[in-house]
Amino acid sequence: MKIKEFKTWEQDNKVYVYISIEQWNEPRFSKVRLETSGVLALLESKKIKVGNCVKSAIIKNWREHTSKATWIFEKKSVDKPKKQVILKEEKPKTTQRRRAKKVSTEE
């Protein structure tokens, strides 16, 4: 698959991804279909972090109008969730009883 154009931009807390691929015009080249899973793999290889997909698309390279599309993803938040603080109750210390050793009376 030969990508002709690959653009990403952020707008309104969303990440837009535009991809255009070469159109299939000769039988010696294979037909290509690109779905959201393939786009996620491309974004991961370029180290672009995105959230859930808001608008998905499918690219097929055998027609001009289907060889380009735009995907919209939620922007991945960098904030870490706050951890809940749990206070531990103090338990009174218990002391162990010492056991007296039994004295054997052998005679």
Side-chain angles (χ1 to χ4, degrees):
M1 168 177 58
K2 187 171 182 182
I3 297 176
K4 192 181 350 178
E5 207 173 343
F6 182 87
K7 293 181 183 178
T8 60
W9 68 94
E10 294 179 17
Q11 184 178 354
D12 299 329
N13 208 19
K14 292 185 176 131
V15 177
Y16 292 80
V17 179
Y18 173 79
I19 298 178
S20 173
I21 58 176
E22 293 279 335
Q23 184 181 352
W24 177 79
N25 55 5
E26 295 183 30
R28 63 182 168 174
F29 297 117
S30 62
K31 291 184 177 182
V32 177
R33 179 182 166 124
L34 182 63
E35 296 181 4
T36 305
S37 59
V39 173
L40 287 171
L42 281 169
L43 291 172
E44 188 176 312
S45 69
K46 295 184 185 278
K47 297 182 180 175
I48 300 172
K49 296 183 179 179
V50 294
N52 294 332
C53 183
V54 177
K55 179 187 170 236
S56 63
I58 297 174
I59 290 181
K60 301 174 192 172
N61 70 338
W62 45 92
R63 299 203 184 226
E64 178 64 32
H65 66 279
T66 61
S67 65
K68 52 191 165 198
T70 303
W71 283 261
I72 302 173
F73 296 95
E74 293 176 350
K75 189 174 179 182
K76 183 109 177 182
S77 63
V78 190
D79 299 335
K80 294 182 180 177
K82 294 181 180 179
K83 294 182 180 177
Q84 292 181 349
V85 179
I86 301 173
L87 299 175
K88 294 182 181 178
E89 294 180 18
E90 283 190 35
K91 296 180 181 176
K93 291 185 179 181
T94 58
T95 57
Q96 292 182 347
R97 289 190 205 168
R98 294 191 180 188
R99 295 183 180 182
K101 291 186 180 178
K102 292 184 179 179
V103 180
S104 62
T105 54
E106 292 181 23
E107 288 188 30

